[in-house]
Short mmCIF file of all heavy atoms in Angstrom, two decimals:
data_model
loop_
_atom_site.label_atom_id
_atom_site.label_comp_id
_atom_site.label_asym_id
_atom_site.label_seq_id
_atom_site.Cartn_x
_atom_site.Cartn_y
_atom_site.Cartn_z
N TYR A 14 -1.71 -83.80 107.00
CA TYR A 14 -0.29 -83.70 106.75
C TYR A 14 0.58 -84.21 107.89
O TYR A 14 1.28 -85.12 107.76
CB TYR A 14 0.16 -82.37 106.28
CG TYR A 14 1.56 -82.22 105.89
CD1 TYR A 14 2.02 -82.92 104.69
CD2 TYR A 14 2.56 -81.60 106.64
CE1 TYR A 14 3.29 -82.86 104.30
CE2 TYR A 14 3.83 -81.61 106.25
CZ TYR A 14 4.27 -82.22 105.06
OH TYR A 14 5.53 -82.21 104.68
N THR A 20 -7.94 -79.05 116.55
CA THR A 20 -8.89 -78.46 117.42
C THR A 20 -9.70 -77.40 116.62
O THR A 20 -9.27 -76.97 115.54
CB THR A 20 -8.14 -77.70 118.55
OG1 THR A 20 -7.19 -76.80 118.03
CG2 THR A 20 -7.45 -78.70 119.49
N CYS A 28 -3.91 -78.41 110.34
CA CYS A 28 -3.76 -77.51 111.54
C CYS A 28 -3.37 -76.02 111.17
O CYS A 28 -3.73 -75.11 111.85
CB CYS A 28 -2.80 -78.08 112.49
SG CYS A 28 -1.30 -78.72 111.81
N ASN A 29 -2.79 -75.87 109.96
CA ASN A 29 -2.49 -74.47 109.54
C ASN A 29 -2.27 -74.48 108.00
O ASN A 29 -2.21 -75.56 107.38
CB ASN A 29 -1.30 -73.96 110.24
CG ASN A 29 -0.05 -74.82 110.05
OD1 ASN A 29 0.29 -75.20 108.97
ND2 ASN A 29 0.60 -75.14 111.16
N ASN A 50 7.33 -76.43 87.43
CA ASN A 50 8.67 -75.99 87.34
C ASN A 50 8.94 -75.15 86.03
O ASN A 50 9.66 -74.13 86.12
CB ASN A 50 9.64 -77.19 87.42
CG ASN A 50 9.71 -77.68 88.83
OD1 ASN A 50 9.36 -76.98 89.83
ND2 ASN A 50 10.13 -78.93 88.97
N LYS A 53 7.40 -71.83 86.43
CA LYS A 53 8.25 -71.06 87.33
C LYS A 53 9.43 -70.45 86.52
O LYS A 53 9.77 -69.29 86.61
CB LYS A 53 8.74 -71.91 88.45
CG LYS A 53 9.05 -71.19 89.76
CD LYS A 53 9.21 -72.21 90.81
CE LYS A 53 10.39 -71.86 91.70
NZ LYS A 53 10.79 -72.91 92.61
N ARG A 56 8.41 -67.55 84.19
CA ARG A 56 8.24 -66.40 85.00
C ARG A 56 9.62 -65.73 85.26
O ARG A 56 9.76 -64.53 85.19
CB ARG A 56 7.46 -66.62 86.27
CG ARG A 56 5.98 -66.75 86.04
CD ARG A 56 5.33 -66.99 87.37
NE ARG A 56 3.81 -66.89 87.19
CZ ARG A 56 3.16 -65.75 87.15
NH1 ARG A 56 3.72 -64.64 87.26
NH2 ARG A 56 1.86 -65.77 86.89
N LYS A 75 24.34 -62.08 76.78
CA LYS A 75 23.60 -63.21 77.16
C LYS A 75 23.93 -63.63 78.66
O LYS A 75 23.07 -64.07 79.37
CB LYS A 75 23.86 -64.46 76.32
CG LYS A 75 23.11 -64.42 74.96
CD LYS A 75 23.50 -65.64 74.12
CE LYS A 75 22.23 -66.45 73.88
NZ LYS A 75 22.51 -67.69 73.04
N PHE A 77 24.52 -61.74 81.04
CA PHE A 77 23.81 -60.91 82.04
C PHE A 77 22.42 -61.57 82.32
O PHE A 77 21.95 -61.62 83.45
CB PHE A 77 23.62 -59.50 81.45
CG PHE A 77 22.87 -58.52 82.38
CD1 PHE A 77 23.40 -58.26 83.62
CD2 PHE A 77 21.69 -58.05 81.97
CE1 PHE A 77 22.76 -57.37 84.53
CE2 PHE A 77 20.99 -57.15 82.84
CZ PHE A 77 21.49 -56.77 84.12
N LYS A 86 16.16 -72.18 76.99
CA LYS A 86 15.34 -73.28 76.47
C LYS A 86 13.85 -73.02 76.51
O LYS A 86 13.08 -73.49 75.75
CB LYS A 86 15.56 -74.55 77.26
CG LYS A 86 16.82 -75.24 77.03
CD LYS A 86 16.79 -76.72 77.55
CE LYS A 86 16.48 -76.82 79.04
NZ LYS A 86 17.49 -76.39 79.96
N HIS A 87 13.39 -72.24 77.52
CA HIS A 87 12.00 -72.13 77.79
C HIS A 87 11.38 -70.78 77.29
O HIS A 87 11.81 -69.74 77.62
CB HIS A 87 11.69 -72.31 79.25
CG HIS A 87 12.10 -73.66 79.77
ND1 HIS A 87 11.51 -74.80 79.33
CD2 HIS A 87 12.97 -74.05 80.66
CE1 HIS A 87 12.13 -75.80 79.89
NE2 HIS A 87 13.02 -75.41 80.72
N GLY A 97 12.49 -60.23 58.96
CA GLY A 97 12.84 -61.64 58.98
C GLY A 97 13.59 -62.11 60.23
O GLY A 97 14.00 -63.26 60.36
N TYR A 106 7.80 -60.22 76.81
CA TYR A 106 9.21 -59.86 76.52
C TYR A 106 9.87 -60.83 75.55
O TYR A 106 9.67 -62.03 75.82
CB TYR A 106 10.05 -59.65 77.71
CG TYR A 106 9.69 -58.35 78.48
CD1 TYR A 106 8.69 -58.33 79.46
CD2 TYR A 106 10.41 -57.20 78.22
CE1 TYR A 106 8.33 -57.15 80.06
CE2 TYR A 106 10.11 -56.01 78.88
CZ TYR A 106 9.03 -56.02 79.85
OH TYR A 106 8.73 -54.82 80.41
N ILE A 119 16.60 -57.32 73.21
CA ILE A 119 15.36 -57.57 73.93
C ILE A 119 14.33 -56.52 73.51
O ILE A 119 14.62 -55.34 73.39
CB ILE A 119 15.58 -57.51 75.45
CG1 ILE A 119 16.64 -58.50 75.84
CG2 ILE A 119 14.26 -57.82 76.20
CD1 ILE A 119 17.07 -58.32 77.28
N TYR A 125 1.29 -54.67 67.39
CA TYR A 125 1.37 -55.20 65.99
C TYR A 125 2.04 -56.63 66.03
O TYR A 125 2.04 -57.20 64.96
CB TYR A 125 2.16 -54.16 65.16
CG TYR A 125 3.59 -53.98 65.53
CD1 TYR A 125 4.61 -54.84 65.16
CD2 TYR A 125 3.89 -52.86 66.24
CE1 TYR A 125 5.93 -54.61 65.48
CE2 TYR A 125 5.28 -52.64 66.62
CZ TYR A 125 6.25 -53.49 66.23
OH TYR A 125 7.56 -53.29 66.56
#
Side-chain angles (χ1 to χ4, degrees):
Y14 186 69
T20 54
C28 45
N29 58 46
N50 286 339
K53 209 169 135 189
R56 283 182 172 277
K75 280 180 118 179
F77 181 64
K86 284 196 305 288
H87 298 298
Y106 283 86
I119 303 170
Y125 64 82

